């Protein structure tokens, strides 16, 4: 949120009770009473050419690794091992945000985000979400929109 505020970007904050068993975007949508397609999850992958690649997709959809590989200039991408998430990004499972990672990794937001004026993403810690425009996320992450879902 500090980074977003530094860029003078408007956002709305959501806080909720979380549990280790209910960290999915669908569970967050249910807790907040928001349609689950508006809550986006942040997935971190590793490309064979680029290294870490970040994908931001609707919580109710699945990431198509081939589409992400194509969009990111990789021949192949695989999911980053969960044990490597914190060391790579600075975030833990259930609190991973595309904004504020240890490094600025190539970031791709699913085209599905164009359906909304604002989307909801992790604020960087469990139990905290922020709502802002997809264009603002692209601005802060130097990201791109791409077709990423199945």
């Amino acid at each position: 949120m500090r980074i977003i505020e530094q860029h003078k970007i408007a956002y709305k904050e959501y806080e909720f009770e979380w549990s280790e068993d209910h960290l999915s975007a669908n569970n967050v949508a249910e807790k907040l009473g928001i349609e689950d397609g508006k809550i986006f999850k942040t997935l971190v992958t590793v490309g064979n050419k680029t290294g870490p690649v970040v994908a931001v997709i609707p919580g109710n959809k699945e990431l198509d690794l081939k589409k992400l590989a194509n969009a990111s200039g990789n021949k192949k991408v695989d999911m980053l091992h969960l044990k490597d998430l914190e060391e790579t990004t600075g975030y833990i499972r259930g609190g991973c945000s595309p904004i504020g990672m240890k490094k600025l990794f190539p970031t791709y937001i699913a085209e599905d985000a164009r359906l909304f004026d604002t989307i909801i993403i992790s604020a960087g810690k469990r139990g905290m979400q922020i709502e802002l425009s997809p264009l603002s996320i692209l601005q802060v992450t130097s990201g791109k929109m791409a077709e990423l879902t199945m």
Side-chain angles (χ1 to χ4, degrees), residues 2-146:
R2 286 187 303 268
I3 293 168
I4 294 167
E5 289 168 357
Q6 287 170 356
H7 283 84
K8 298 185 181 0
I9 294 170
Y11 69 94
K12 183 176 179 182
E13 182 181 323
Y14 296 90
E15 201 164 353
F16 60 94
E17 298 250 345
W18 63 273
S19 77
E20 195 69 46
D21 299 328
H22 298 99
L23 292 173
S24 76
N26 293 336
N27 287 347
V28 172
E30 190 176 310
K31 279 196 179 273
L32 297 178
I34 294 170
E35 59 182 297
D36 58 356
K38 188 172 179 166
I39 295 193
F40 280 57
K41 56 189 173 185
T42 303
L43 303 173
V44 183
T45 65
V46 179
N48 67 311
K49 294 180 183 176
T50 62
V53 177
V54 178
V56 182
I57 67 167
N60 61 354
K61 297 211 173 166
E62 295 293 319
L63 176 63
D64 186 319
L65 292 172
K66 288 182 182 178
K67 287 179 181 176
L68 180 59
N70 185 46
S72 63
N74 286 286
K75 187 173 182 95
K76 179 183 177 190
V77 295
D78 293 306
M79 293 303 298
L80 179 74
H81 289 284
L82 189 56
K83 67 178 178 52
D84 298 326
L85 183 65
E86 186 172 8
E87 183 182 332
T88 303
T89 67
Y91 292 124
I92 59 174
R93 178 179 169 265
C96 188
S97 176
I99 299 169
M101 290 189 179
K102 283 184 173 182
K103 293 182 181 175
L104 192 59
F105 298 116
T107 301
Y108 297 86
I109 299 177
E111 289 279 349
D112 309 63
R114 292 189 194 277
L115 300 172
F116 303 101
D117 291 333
T118 59
I119 62 173
I120 299 170
I121 61 171
S122 173
K125 75 177 206 181
R126 292 174 174 172
M128 182 90 49
Q129 300 279 308
I130 53 172
E131 181 174 356
L132 67 167
S133 78
L135 296 178
S136 295
I137 300 168
L138 292 173
Q139 174 192 343
V140 173
T141 62
S142 299
K144 297 178 183 167
M145 289 254 186

